[in-house]
Amino acid sequence: MGSSSPLTRRNRAVSSVLSMFLVFLCFSSSSNAQPTPVFACDTSGNSSLAAYGFCNTALKIDARVADLVGRLTLQEKIGFLVNKANGVTRLGIPTYEWWSEALHGVSYIGPGTHFAGQVPGATSFPQVILTAASFNVSLFQAIGKVVSTEARAMYNVGLAGLTYWSPNVNIFRDPRWGRGQETPGEDPLLSSKYASGYVKGLQETESSDANRLKVAACCKHYTAYDVDNWKGVERYTFNAVVNQQDMDDTYQPPFKSCVVDGNVASVMCSYNKVNGKPTCADPDLLSGVIRGEWKLNGYIVSDCDSVDVLYKNQHYTKTPEEAAAISINAGLDLNCGSFLSQHTEAAVKAGLVNVTAIDKAISNNFLTLMRLGFFDGDPKKQIYGGLGPKDVCTLSNQELAAEAARQGIVLLKNTGSLPLSPTMIKTLAVIGPNANVTKTMIGNYEGTPCKYTTPLQGLAATVSTTYLPGCSNVACAVADVDSATKLAAEADATVLVIGADLSIEAESRDRVDLNLPGQQQDLVTQVAKAAKGPVLLVIMSGGGFDITFAKNDPKIAGILWVGYPGEAGGIAIADVIFGRYNPSGRLPMTWYPQSYVEKVPMTNMNMRPDASNGYPGRTYRFYTGETVYAFGDGLSYTKFSHSLVKAPPRVVPLRLEENHVCRSSECQSLDAFGPHCEKNAVGMAFEVHVKVKNGGGREGLHTVFLFTTPPEVHGSPRKHLLGFEKISLGKMEEAVVRFKVDVCRDLSVVDEVGKRKIGLGQHVLHVGDLKHSLSIRI
């Protein structure tokens, strides 16, 4: 999401604040004010509406949509192409605002949602990158379910809409990207599992009709979008040059999972161009892939002002009418912004776009609103009509926010001092610019939380603390080293809470280096040198830092990465530090040294290394250089061990038809489709059973990863995640985790033209330190 200029962003911010103030006045002016949800077909207020087919709930949705479209004038139709959709009073249709956000809780970003009166806040979960670090699919879905319940509750009192432009499922390709915090990380499988899980949580209802929606989710930003503003390169004009292999292997899988597995109601096209074409004007990407190949059941929306951007900033068309027409003809259904409302009628008159294309677009929009019950009359009489303020910020919802933070926190270093003993620590020094922050904890696309528990508050609830910020903010131009070292020298233990905030990494703000901001490194080093007791480093950030100095400093006893941990971040941090919770988070992205960004331009979209120019590749799947911490890293307070109970055969033969070309010639790979891959093909699917034992003295959660290293064909990944499972084990308890592996689906790689191929030769499966080799042969 975003806008075409800083001025527009400021105007939008002012408008948002003003609208919130007006809502506040509305609630304050009358204690009897009873705001109501926006909906169509209010037959109790206007009985004549019952005669309209689109208000007849007995009809099939397609018939209702067709009836509605057939009753509209061209001008009325065009009014439904933009996020602030004009109402049609004569048909009992009110104005509807499509733009609301729910990235990690109901948000006040976007004009469709407000906090006021009966609902002053909503549950604010950890920023997505930390939730992803839990590697817990059931948690992803549980959070989505709570967010959609609170959204419906707010809708019922007139404070929210039904369409939410979340989640962000772009791949976190480069650690400098300011929006990486919004994503599930760098791995296509994890991102895909998060995408479909969160979408299901948001959308699925308790209704017997599987086509109904609780709220409508939207997966964004499609596609190959991950440069915002880096060294003068802006997202509005950036052309992402992406080869077909990387497109199908890395950038597209989360979006495909959203649509195919999650049945998402919407996909948002991005600002950038991909291989020279603006994504919102590319018929191959929109009509061809999203709606054609993946069969989207819903609508395609532009990022805000991106149709305006492709005309004014990218100069892709000569006239605004051409920009309107090319977007609609490509498959765009809804424009966030006002561009299509201003220029579509002229485009029709000029013969650039026909009314049939407009009908198709608004039909997709109406279809979504029908699935939400918007045209079914009073929501109070529908399935979620009983929800209200009592269902927002409940104790169980707030506990889920704390639990999500606990499960995501990653323990990166522990020399044995963690967990701290509350009885042994008489005084705890808490130092750092993020030690007592509130809003920093929730990251961007935030809402007003139910309440905050800061790290300082969480720690002080357990032991006596002394506190010093050490820096006036995370930029830390000047560090108060003298006061900080004095505090640490007198305390039994020291916790340093440092890192970043939205002034360092955010939308429209990419980083240029991986160093801790300002004087933070010096602050940490000097405090560690002077400290009497163990020093713990707590890093609050979306992306990783080069903290090699702290990793190698023997005076630093422990390092925790806590992302942006949400409203209950302080509770979770204290629970982990004092051992009330055994950490189980694992890094969802690689942490690189500073040298990486000094030689790798952010604008190079290639995932695979290139030895000819020293390009090291990107993400754990392809990167060939040194790391500070690797994808999947994370420690526990107990010891988990793995043993293989059931393994696949050492040789997997592919049974080919008699005339197959590879029976008479040497082949490095085979198509991952055909008779040898069909459902009943012998030996093409197997199970891997792994026994996991907790050999330590604490219960804990543990993520079991199944990786594969395929043969070196088609630029295959060095390592690739096939599956993961999070389990809970008590002291000395053991359990068996089962993975199903389909040879054609799971052991195939994407070739240079985007086709899936099975590499012939040795494949190595990894689970922890275990390795099992199998050979795929003809």
Side-chain angles (χ1 to χ4, degrees):
M1 296 296 300
S3 56
S4 57
S5 71
L7 179 60
T8 310
R9 285 196 294 274
R10 283 196 296 272
N11 289 345
R12 185 169 288 142
V14 171
S15 174
S16 178
V17 171
L18 185 60
S19 63
M20 290 174 68
F21 179 64
L22 290 174
V23 171
F24 173 76
L25 286 180
C26 175
F27 275 91
S28 301
S29 62
S30 171
S31 59
N32 297 319
Q34 293 292 325
T36 57
V38 175
F39 64 95
C41 298
D42 184 7
T43 54
S44 62
N46 182 353
S47 59
S48 66
L49 298 177
Y52 294 136
F54 67 86
C55 289
N56 185 351
T57 58
L59 296 178
K60 290 186 176 180
I61 285 181
D62 288 348
R64 297 174 68 189
V65 169
D67 177 80
L68 174 53
V69 172
R71 296 178 185 275
L72 300 173
T73 66
L74 175 60
Q75 290 75 20
E76 288 169 342
K77 291 175 180 179
I78 290 170
F80 289 106
L81 291 172
V82 292
N83 65 283
K84 190 174 179 62
N86 290 335
V88 181
T89 305
R90 66 184 181 85
L91 297 177
I93 303 172
T95 297
Y96 177 73
E97 176 54 68
W98 286 82
W99 181 8
S100 293
E101 303 278 354
L103 182 67
H104 50 109
V106 180
S107 170
Y108 50 59
I109 307 296
T113 307
H114 310 279
F115 292 101
Q118 300 176 71
V119 186
T123 309
S124 186
F125 290 91
Q127 183 60 291
V128 177
I129 192 68
L130 188 72
T131 296
S134 72
F135 283 89
N136 187 341
V137 176
S138 63
L139 179 64
F140 305 158
Q141 194 160 346
I143 292 172
K145 188 173 183 179
V146 166
V147 173
S148 61
T149 294
E150 295 196 344
R152 271 283 180 173
M154 291 176 66
Y155 169 71
N156 286 345
V157 292
L159 291 174
L162 294 169
T163 46
Y164 290 84
W165 293 345
S166 305
N168 178 344
V169 299
N170 294 117
I171 293 293
F172 195 177
R173 173 187 62 98
D174 191 292
R176 291 163 286 191
W177 187 31
R179 304 190 72 175
Q181 61 177 287
E182 302 173 30
T183 76
E186 70 181 33
D187 180 67
L189 179 70
L190 172 60
S191 297
S192 296
K193 295 282 190 183
Y194 178 85
S196 59
Y198 189 63
V199 165
K200 287 176 181 178
L202 287 175
Q203 292 193 164
E204 289 182 351
T205 73
E206 286 78 36
S207 167
S208 58
D209 184 353
N211 197 38
R212 287 286 175 165
L213 296 168
K214 190 176 179 186
V215 300
C218 172
C219 288
K220 62 188 189 185
H221 310 79
Y222 180 82
T223 184
Y225 168 73
D226 57 9
V227 175
D228 264 61
N229 186 356
W230 178 76
K231 294 187 176 181
V233 178
E234 286 201 317
R235 56 185 173 167
Y236 306 119
T237 52
F238 178 58
N239 179 32
V241 179
V242 186
N243 62 58
Q244 196 60 51
Q245 185 174 32
D246 286 339
M247 182 68 83
D248 290 334
D249 185 41
T250 296
Y251 296 109
Q252 295 289 66
F255 291 100
K256 182 177 181 180
S257 184
C258 268
V259 178
V260 175
D261 303 320
N263 193 24
V264 75
S266 177
V267 173
M268 176 183 285
C269 51
S270 54
Y271 290 116
N272 56 291
K273 291 181 285 186
V274 173
N275 299 326
K277 290 184 181 180
T279 63
C280 293
D282 189 336
D284 294 329
L285 286 176
L286 305 189
S287 297
V289 176
I290 298 177
R291 199 168 294 285
E293 291 180 26
W294 299 342
K295 310 298 181 190
L296 174 70
N297 181 23
Y299 69 102
I300 299 173
V301 60
S302 74
D303 204 338
C304 290
D305 299 326
S306 62
V307 184
D308 185 62
V309 164
L310 72 87
Y311 167 62
K312 289 182 181 175
N313 298 63
Q314 298 173 358
H315 309 294
Y316 192 69
T317 64
K318 292 181 179 179
T319 68
E321 293 79 18
E322 289 172 334
I326 199 171
S327 301
I328 295 170
N329 288 331
L332 186 71
D333 302 310
L334 189 72
N335 164 216
C336 177
S338 58
F339 194 88
L340 291 188
S341 65
Q342 296 169 358
H343 301 292
T344 300
E345 187 171 0
V348 172
K349 290 177 179 176
L352 299 171
V353 62
N354 60 42
V355 176
T356 303
I358 295 171
D359 288 351
K360 185 177 178 181
I362 62 172
S363 292
N364 291 325
N365 300 338
F366 289 143
L367 171 77
T368 305
L369 290 177
M370 293 276 183
R371 294 173 68 199
L372 287 160
F374 185 79
F375 287 93
D376 293 351
D378 189 353
K380 297 289 179 65
K381 298 176 181 177
Q382 297 179 40
I383 184 171
Y384 295 108
L387 295 175
K390 71 182 188 309
D391 301 294
V392 182
C393 286
T394 64
L395 290 177
S396 62
N397 292 357
Q398 293 183 65
E399 171 52 31
L400 184 63
E403 178 61 19
R406 294 184 194 105
Q407 287 199 28
I409 289 174
V410 182
L411 177 61
L412 292 170
K413 177 181 179 180
N414 185 13
T415 61
S417 295
L418 280 171
L420 296 182
S421 167
T423 56
M424 299 293 289
I425 303 296
K426 303 303 180 186
T427 57
L428 180 71
V430 182
I431 300 168
N434 279 338
N436 199 33
V437 292
T438 53
K439 196 170 181 182
T440 297
M441 293 198 301
I442 57 179
N444 66 359
Y445 281 80
E446 75 283 10
T448 302
C450 309
K451 62 180 181 181
Y452 286 110
T453 303
T454 73
L456 176 62
Q457 289 170 334
L459 295 166
T462 302
V463 296
S464 175
T465 59
T466 54
Y467 163 63
L468 182 80
C471 308
S472 59
N473 52 44
V474 290
C476 198
V478 178
D480 187 359
V481 173
D482 290 343
S483 299
T485 53
K486 183 180 179 183
L487 206 67
E490 296 171 351
D492 294 329
T494 299
V495 176
L496 282 153
V497 191
I498 60 166
D501 64 14
L502 297 186
S503 70
I504 302 295
E505 51 181 2
E507 184 172 7
S508 297
R509 182 177 291 119
D510 298 326
R511 287 190 282 162
V512 294
D513 63 51
L514 301 182
N515 298 316
L516 287 172
Q519 301 299 309
Q520 288 193 44
Q521 179 170 333
D522 185 54
L523 176 69
V524 172
T525 301
Q526 297 302 323
V527 165
K529 190 182 298 183
K532 179 176 74 172
V535 175
L536 310 177
L537 190 61
V538 175
I539 301 171
M540 196 177 291
S541 69
F545 288 103
D546 184 350
I547 54 166
T548 306
F549 77 95
K551 181 181 180 181
N552 296 335
D553 188 339
K555 293 296 295 289
I556 295 177
I559 302 174
L560 292 168
W561 175 69
V562 301
Y564 293 118
E567 64 171 42
I571 296 171
I573 291 167
D575 284 348
V576 170
I577 286 176
F578 289 109
R580 293 186 290 266
Y581 190 86
N582 191 350
S584 63
R586 299 291 182 266
L587 285 183
M589 72 299 199
T590 304
W591 284 34
Y592 301 90
Q594 170 62 16
S595 58
Y596 172 81
V597 299
E598 290 169 354
K599 60 188 177 187
V600 177
M602 194 173 172
T603 48
N604 188 329
M605 302 295 290
N606 293 330
M607 300 303 298
R608 288 159 172 78
D610 185 345
S612 68
N613 59 19
Y615 182 68
R618 295 183 180 275
T619 77
Y620 81 95
R621 298 172 70 221
F622 302 104
Y623 177 59
T624 56
E626 295 296 317
T627 63
V628 179
Y629 289 106
F631 173 88
D633 276 359
L635 304 172
S636 169
Y637 292 152
T638 189
K639 179 66 175 176
F640 294 97
S641 59
H642 309 99
S643 57
L644 209 52
V645 176
K646 182 177 182 181
R650 291 288 182 179
V651 177
V652 177
L654 298 181
R655 293 170 172 81
L656 304 182
E657 57 270 32
E658 289 296 327
N659 60 349
H660 197 286
V661 64
C662 289
R663 289 178 69 93
S664 58
S665 61
E666 282 195 23
C667 291
Q668 283 191 310
S669 64
L670 289 170
D671 290 335
F673 56 87
H676 54 280
C677 283
E678 288 173 0
K679 200 169 188 179
N680 296 320
V682 178
M684 296 309 288
F686 51 79
E687 291 192 353
V688 176
H689 294 183
V690 180
K691 182 187 290 183
V692 186
K693 182 175 181 179
N694 178 358
R698 293 174 180 268
E699 65 178 3
L701 294 172
H702 177 64
T703 299
V704 184
F705 295 106
L706 176 63
F707 290 98
T708 179
T709 296
E712 292 183 18
V713 294
H714 305 299
S716 57
R718 294 156 52 87
K719 189 179 177 184
H720 180 64
L721 186 61
L722 289 190
F724 58 89
E725 199 71 43
K726 192 152 194 171
I727 59 171
S728 177
L729 291 176
K731 293 182 288 185
M732 305 307 294
E733 189 180 0
E734 58 185 39
V736 174
V737 176
R738 295 169 172 82
F739 295 100
K740 291 184 178 179
V741 179
D742 180 282
V743 170
C744 298
R745 182 191 66 221
D746 298 318
L747 298 186
S748 59
V749 298
V750 175
D751 73 5
E752 293 79 0
V753 295
K755 302 296 183 185
R756 294 208 74 90
K757 299 279 190 175
I758 308 166
L760 298 176
Q762 181 174 275
H763 295 247
V764 181
L765 300 177
H766 312 250
V767 178
D769 295 328
L770 293 177
K771 290 187 178 181
H772 177 84
S773 296
L774 61 96
S775 181
I776 299 180
R777 302 176 187 171
I778 295 172

